[in-house]
């Protein structure tokens, strides 16, 4: 079960905007509210590539977690 997706872009954007000292980088993700935790777009191994591309474009996102069938 995937609960969130953290991308390079999200981490770098957070660091560029918020980190003036590296102490914040030692905090857990959950305390920084970094990542996507609701309305998460997902796909399965059986999802056609075209559908994943559609999700990326329609939702203006850069990644889609691929879930197993469990």
């Amino acid at each position: 079960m995937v609960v969130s997706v953290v991308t390079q872009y999200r981490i770098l954007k957070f660091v560029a905007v918020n980190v003036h000292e590296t102490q914040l980088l030692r905090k857990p993700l959950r305390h920084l509210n970094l990542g996507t935790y609701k309305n998460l777009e997902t796909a399965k191994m059986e999802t056609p590539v075209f559908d994943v591309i559609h999700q990326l474009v329609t939702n203006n996102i850069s990644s889609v977690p691929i879930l197993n069938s469990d």
Side-chain angles (χ1 to χ4, degrees), residues 4 6 10-37:
S4 180
V6 177
R10 282 260 174 120
I11 292 172
L12 293 173
K13 181 178 177 183
F14 179 84
V15 170
V17 172
N18 298 297
V19 178
H20 302 290
E21 59 182 64
T22 59
Q23 197 61 26
L24 282 176
L25 297 175
R26 296 181 187 348
K27 290 188 176 190
L29 293 172
R30 100 178 37 190
H31 293 119
L32 298 175
N33 195 26
L34 189 64
T36 301
Y37 298 93

